[in-house]
Amino acid sequence: MDIVESVRKIPLQDPPEEDFCAADLTWTKFGNAEHHDEVALIPYDRVDAFIIGECSNVEWPTRFHIERGRKRAIGSLKEYKDDEYLEYRLYWCSFGPENYGEGGGILPSRRYRLNTRNRAARPQSMRGCTCHFVVKRLYARPYLALIIYNERRHINKSGFVCHGPLDRDAIGPGAKNVPYICNEIQQQTMSMIYLGIPEENILEKHIEGIQRYCGSDAKVNSLASQYVHKLGMIIKRSTHELDLDDQASIRMWVERNKKSVFFYQDTSESDPFVLGIQTEWQLQQMIRFGHCSVVVADSTFGIKRLKYPLFTLLVFDSRQHALPVAWVITRSFSKPDMSKWLNALIDRAHSVEPGWRVSGFVIDDAAAEIDLLRDIFCCPVLFSLWRIRRSWLRNIVKKCCNIEVQREIFKRLGAIVYSIWGGVNTSLALEQFLQDFVDQTDFMEYFRASWLPKIEMWLSTMRNFPLASQEASGALEAYHVKLKAKLFDDSHLGALQRVDWLVHKLTTELHSSYWLDRFADESDSFQSVKEEYIASTSWHRALRIPNNAVTFNDKDRFFAKVVSQKESKSTRIVWNPGSEFAFCDCAWSMQGNLCKHVIKVNMVFENIKGCQPSMSLKSFEDILIDLWRKPVDGSIALDLSLAWTQQILDQIEKLVELNNSPDIGTVVNKMPLNWVSKKGRTYTGKPTLRYTLPPANSNPKSLIVYKRSRKRKRLSQLR
């Protein structure tokens, strides 16, 4: 085969199959006599189809992940070669590149019996597979992709097949018919063990997983049973105390789990303790669900009971549930310290996906470093009411005995919050509130000590920043409740002051719980887990209540009744309907939570004409009105203001249409065509123009009608 020195001489290929692999392409040697690679040139929009085909190889079923990525802006190069990249991604088989097996980088031969009676199962997550390829989106021709296959064989550094049906030593000694247990199956098994699922059910699901790679026989079942039993024994005997000294134990954990730590700063005279935890799965979810979406902060959890408070970053998954994607354990939330670990987290995301960015950041603490969050995430900041609402409601129920007094206090506090848009003097309103309920001494002592000194700061934050919706508040509260149930179990009260215990609980039980929830939902398995996961937020529970189950008392609508779906004779009363500070008499609400009855009543209430809007909608309206009022009439500033408002309106209309449409194709067909000017002659040293259409002077034979890939969703699952 001759060596080609120019990309222009490499033939363009577009196999007719929906998915295709390396065997369907003709590979060309590209480079020079001293160094050359095997390459193929395909349309850029067929890259996903190629990756899916490679993952579906019968001999080596696998998945590919992005090990490294880089990206350039159009016009950034004044001089460039014909093989320069606009986007560069290195795809690596997910069974590598690391080898977590015995012997490090060399796969051990297990054709002999190890001289030990209680041999623990060897970690099975990575096998040192060297299969990888590079996808270059060409700078000169962005509609084409150059695939450089560095290693097509799924072998380790020793040259042996390291996974799949051809790997005879995949699971253990003498396991010649059992394929390697991939990372997904192992994580599934570990998650079920951590969550206390019976071993019989775990074994059944484990065998179903490995049967995707090989047939069923007695030997497979026997070895799978041994594997599940040994893994269960290892997990049950594991402990969070790697050392009697907590600080030394954390250092050992960080050293052993470097891939799950994105920032670590030990305690010193000048620096506080900071530990940032993010597993590889959490990183994938942050990139997947956080890109061009909203990131949420659950700040200062456990500030009174834990040795160091816990700060959690969350994203909203496909069902709009709050999914934790990073944990930070620290006592210091000063601007310099937060800047360190936030930048480290952003850099980690950009190392995998250079174009990753967020569209909004939701905070729940008025004392947060808002300017820092704006600068680092380069996005607007929103404020969630869930923390202040929960704190007030819990203490009202706890410290006031009369239920009529409870709902009246909660209603008055809500009215004070609503008054931030009415021009009411909040100081006078608070003074009147304290006088009216002076006989409620327990609650007033709490309110004066905890809220009165900082209430102006919280009200100012609500007034100056957009407010998050009830769905977001419900999702964030659901995570908080689940975290509290996992950590503050009575059996662990003696370990709350140890950081290694907190790290162990987060990375084992809590991580496994969310992993299994997402796996059950995406694979449509574990139906009981999936149903419990879907109904884990008050918002989704409220959607199950029909509208006719909600009735209002009279025209004034002082309260609403919600008929129970389980017991038709039982009803719940919601006072102050239509407000975020509505009061329900159900047990879940009396614990300080945002219940499904309040959310459902507010859903019905907002469709009634003449009723006050929700605080989040009122905040949005106030921002638009403020934007409209600012310019002087007849000025250029008015034109600019109208243009911004129209742009926001267009984006909202498109988003609503996209969410309500059952078929995305109908929305795409309505979009206008983007026409560009005729492309001129290009040469080395002159950057190319926009690349919406191929060059006009291209060879007609090489022009291909590029098919739109319909496998985007499937590819995202494979990654």
Side-chain angles (χ1 to χ4, degrees), residues 11 71 140 181 255 372 387 401 510 567 584 626 629 703:
K71 191 175 183 180
I181 301 176
E255 188 65 27
L372 176 65
R387 183 178 293 277
C401 300
L510 193 64
E567 301 177 5
C584 181
D626 185 60
R629 284 177 178 173
L703 292 179

Side-chain angles (χ1 to χ4, degrees), residues 333-370:
F333 293 97
S334 63
K335 192 171 184 178
D337 294 327
M338 286 189 67
S339 177
K340 294 178 184 177
W341 56 262
L342 280 174
N343 282 315
L345 184 68
I346 297 296
D347 292 342
R348 192 182 196 203
H350 287 167
S351 66
V352 177
E353 181 55 60
W356 185 83
R357 62 182 180 86
V358 300
S359 297
F361 194 96
V362 180
I363 60 173
D364 62 351
D365 188 358
E369 293 288 349
I370 298 175

Side-chain angles (χ1 to χ4, degrees), residues 104-143:
I106 301 175
L107 182 68
S109 172
R110 283 163 286 157
R111 292 174 183 159
Y112 56 87
R113 182 182 180 87
L114 296 179
N115 188 19
T116 175
R117 296 182 63 185
N118 298 320
R119 178 169 51 81
R122 188 167 60 84
Q124 304 273 348
S125 54
M126 286 193 179
R127 300 295 295 274
C129 184
T130 59
C131 179
H132 63 284
F133 59 88
V134 171
V135 175
K136 278 187 179 183
R137 188 177 187 179
L138 297 180
Y139 188 91
R141 293 183 290 174
Y143 51 88

Side-chain angles (χ1 to χ4, degrees), residues 212-229:
R212 289 181 297 178
Y213 298 93
C214 66
S216 176
D217 58 47
K219 197 168 187 179
V220 170
N221 298 346
S222 175
L223 289 168
S225 177
Q226 295 177 25
Y227 176 83
V228 171
H229 180 71

